């Protein structure tokens, strides 16, 4: 009988070339991650490429995209109250320093945000509260 460790390792090795799930159960978020966040190609830095792909995707869907630089570490609470279900925010530099990370975490925890995606270099926040509130982590 094979020990459980080897059995799990064998199963994992068999699935390496086939698994692309990112651990995401939501079809909406999975599509967004595969088509926008983790897509490759384009000019500029990875953050600029992500911004370009997200701008294109938002214009196709009819969403309003705002870009916030989290370097100042201030969460724009006055603007949060004006967000609608069609608004999307791309937060840049979320791991630049402790104040930026704190501002990102407070945006994720805010009850006015729905789905959030932490892509390491940047974060994406949706304000459609019909979707189940969840924060997804994606490695680029």
């Amino acid at each position: 009988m094979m020990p459980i460790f080897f059995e799990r390792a064998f199963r994992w090795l068999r699935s390496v070339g086939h698994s692309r799930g990112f651990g995401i159960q939501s079809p909406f978020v999975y599509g967004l991650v595969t088509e926008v966040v983790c897509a490759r190609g384009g000019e500029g830095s990875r953050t600029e490429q992500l911004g370009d792909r997200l701008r294109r995707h938002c214009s196709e869907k009819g969403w309003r995209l705002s870009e916030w630089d989290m370097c100042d570490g201030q969460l724009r609470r006055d603007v949060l109250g004006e967000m609608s279900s069609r608004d999307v925010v791309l937060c840049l530099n979320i791991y630049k320093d402790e104040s930026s990370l704190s501002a990102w975490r407070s945006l994720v925890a805010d009850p006015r945000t729905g789905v959030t995606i932490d892509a390491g270099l940047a974060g994406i926040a949706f304000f459609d509260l019909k979707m189940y509130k969840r924060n997804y982590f994606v490695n680029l």
Side-chain angles (χ1 to χ4, degrees):
M1 186 164 158
M2 192 182 312
I4 192 95
F5 170 77
F6 292 113
E7 184 179 335
R8 286 183 182 165
F10 179 70
R11 252 189 277 143
W12 179 80
L13 284 172
R14 272 193 357 216
S15 71
V16 163
H18 307 286
S19 177
R20 305 253 191 299
F22 304 103
I24 297 173
Q25 301 299 317
S26 166
F28 162 74
V29 177
Y30 180 78
L32 188 74
V33 167
T34 55
E35 295 170 14
V36 177
V37 177
C38 290
R40 298 285 183 217
E43 299 282 324
S45 70
R46 290 189 348 194
T47 307
E48 291 170 350
Q49 292 174 18
L50 173 62
D52 291 342
R53 287 190 305 268
L54 189 59
R55 263 184 235 98
R56 214 171 311 122
H57 191 76
C58 286
S59 67
E60 290 171 4
K61 299 287 185 181
W63 298 333
R64 279 190 320 186
L65 177 67
S66 304
E67 290 186 26
W68 295 355
D69 193 347
M70 302 300 265
C71 281
D72 56 5
Q74 298 294 319
L75 182 60
R76 300 161 72 180
R77 295 190 187 281
D78 55 327
V79 179
L80 282 179
E82 300 171 6
M83 293 293 184
S84 73
S85 63
R86 304 301 294 166
D87 285 316
V88 180
V89 173
L90 175 63
C91 300
L92 305 170
N93 301 311
I94 59 175
Y95 287 102
K96 184 151 180 96
D97 54 25
E98 193 60 39
S99 64
S100 301
L101 183 58
S102 175
W104 168 249
R105 287 182 177 156
S106 58
L107 179 64
V108 169
D110 194 287
R112 294 170 285 202
T113 60
V115 171
T116 53
I117 301 171
D118 182 341
L121 302 170
I124 304 169
F126 293 87
F127 292 87
D128 188 357
L129 297 178
K130 294 177 191 165
M131 293 186 281
Y132 181 72
K133 183 176 178 71
R134 176 116 193 242
N135 185 32
Y136 295 93
F137 295 94
V138 179
N139 286 333
L140 293 181

